[in-house]
Amino acid sequence: MKIRKGAILLLCSLCLTGCSGVRKLKINTEEITKDTIVSCNDQVIYEYVASYPDIASLVKDSDVIVYGKAEGIRYYIDWYGMCHTKADITVLRSFKGNYKEGKQIKIVKDQGYVSVKDYMDPLWSKEEKKSYRRIYEQYSDEELEHIYLQQTEKDDIMLETNQRSVYFLQKSADYNTDRTYTRINGPEGEYMEIEDECFVRVNTLWDYRNRAEVQENTDLEEDMNDMFTLEEIASQIHAAE
């Protein structure tokens, strides 16, 4: 369970299917580059009810645990300006749950890309729209369709096609379609493969990358102590079951 800081309390949950409050975005992903992303500082902060300090604690509350590869990434935005990403995850190895190798499940992350135009369109307040338009006044109305905002959960990393991770997943009432899951505590519930047989927890990896950028030290990742092989992760999962 998570609490979004500063968010409007809703009487009903938003879901990605069967809900008019969410729009699927038509985005040419080839357009999304460092030159067309005009803002990537929009981080969503959640306060989670519980914390999961290690793999053993994640295992106990997971409905499904898989090592999988991301494909078929789609972007959505709700009418409150929150971005969502849904992706097909091809199972490469299953640790918990009934999904065999080669099967696909879906995951949803609270992150995504949205054009400035798509972000501005649902804004209810004329003053707010004018404020955003002034921020990007150097762009024409047509250009606003081809420049992008990047939104992520705090300490999270954007999902990319072919990205491989070990996911600790739960079913979610917000995304209650068949075979659709969310990570436990967002970046806490994912160990990303940064090179062959080398996995790092996403929030830990984000911290190292952020410090490397600030310190302009590209060798920081070589000093990480929180790296795991797939077999080390598998061993800890089995020990906790």
Side-chain angles (χ1 to χ4, degrees):
M1 182 179 178
K2 58 194 177 186
I3 303 171
R4 181 180 300 155
K5 278 188 176 179
I8 299 172
L9 295 178
L10 303 179
L11 294 179
C12 62
S13 298
L14 293 173
C15 58
L16 289 184
T17 57
C19 179
S20 60
V22 177
R23 297 178 296 145
K24 184 176 181 180
L25 301 175
K26 294 181 179 179
I27 291 178
N28 178 3
T29 55
E30 293 181 358
E31 285 188 346
I32 300 175
T33 68
K34 63 180 181 180
D35 296 320
T36 60
I37 299 173
V38 293
S39 175
C40 56
N41 297 318
D42 190 3
Q43 288 202 333
V44 182
I45 301 174
Y46 291 115
E47 287 185 344
Y48 290 99
V49 173
S51 182
Y52 295 86
D54 51 33
I55 290 173
S57 59
L58 285 166
V59 172
K60 294 177 182 178
D61 283 351
S62 296
D63 296 317
V64 169
I65 306 172
V66 298
Y67 166 47
K69 179 176 69 173
E71 301 173 296
I73 297 174
R74 290 89 72 196
Y75 301 112
Y76 301 77
I77 187 171
D78 63 37
W79 292 100
Y80 301 92
M82 300 300 301
C83 290
H84 309 274
T85 294
K86 181 183 278 189
D88 300 318
I89 301 297
T90 299
V91 176
L92 304 176
R93 184 170 171 181
S94 178
F95 299 104
K96 188 175 183 180
N98 298 319
Y99 297 110
K100 296 181 180 179
E101 181 180 334
K103 294 292 184 180
Q104 282 194 336
I105 60 175
K106 293 179 175 62
I107 65 166
V108 177
K109 294 187 176 186
D110 292 327
Q111 59 173 234
Y113 296 104
V114 57
S115 73
V116 174
K117 180 183 183 301
D118 281 332
Y119 187 85
M120 289 173 55
D121 278 349
L123 296 177
W124 294 340
S125 165
K126 290 183 179 180
E127 289 74 18
E128 196 172 8
K129 284 189 176 183
K130 287 180 180 179
S131 176
Y132 265 94
R133 192 65 187 91
R134 283 194 295 269
I135 293 173
Y136 303 104
E137 61 184 3
Q138 71 269 39
Y139 298 97
S140 68
D141 289 343
E142 183 178 351
E143 287 173 326
L144 293 183
E145 299 180 33
H146 306 286
I147 58 173
Y148 296 89
L149 308 178
Q150 175 185 300
Q151 188 183 89
T152 61
E153 183 176 348
K154 187 179 183 299
D155 299 345
D156 205 0
I157 293 174
M158 293 298 294
L159 184 65
E160 297 179 1
T161 301
N162 295 323
Q163 187 173 291
R164 298 179 182 220
S165 296
V166 175
Y167 294 100
F168 296 81
L169 302 170
Q170 287 181 326
K171 294 179 181 178
S172 170
D174 293 336
Y175 314 109
N176 56 358
T177 54
D178 185 40
R179 292 187 299 170
T180 300
Y181 299 90
T182 57
R183 301 168 300 169
I184 294 180
N185 281 21
E188 274 195 358
E190 178 181 352
Y191 283 71
M192 184 184 296
E193 188 170 11
I194 59 174
E195 57 186 57
D196 288 344
E197 285 295 305
C198 179
F199 295 78
V200 181
R201 198 177 209 178
V202 164
N203 56 342
T204 302
L205 180 59
W206 182 91
D207 181 58
Y208 276 103
R209 287 184 177 179
N210 188 54
R211 288 196 287 120
E213 183 177 333
V214 171
Q215 298 177 24
E216 297 183 354
N217 180 356
T218 57
D219 296 326
L220 265 178
E221 286 190 13
E222 296 180 3
D223 300 327
M224 285 192 295
N225 297 316
D226 302 314
M227 296 185 290
F228 301 84
T229 67
L230 186 60
E231 291 310 315
E232 286 172 338
I233 291 175
S235 177
Q236 292 192 41
I237 292 172
H238 295 317
E241 289 180 329

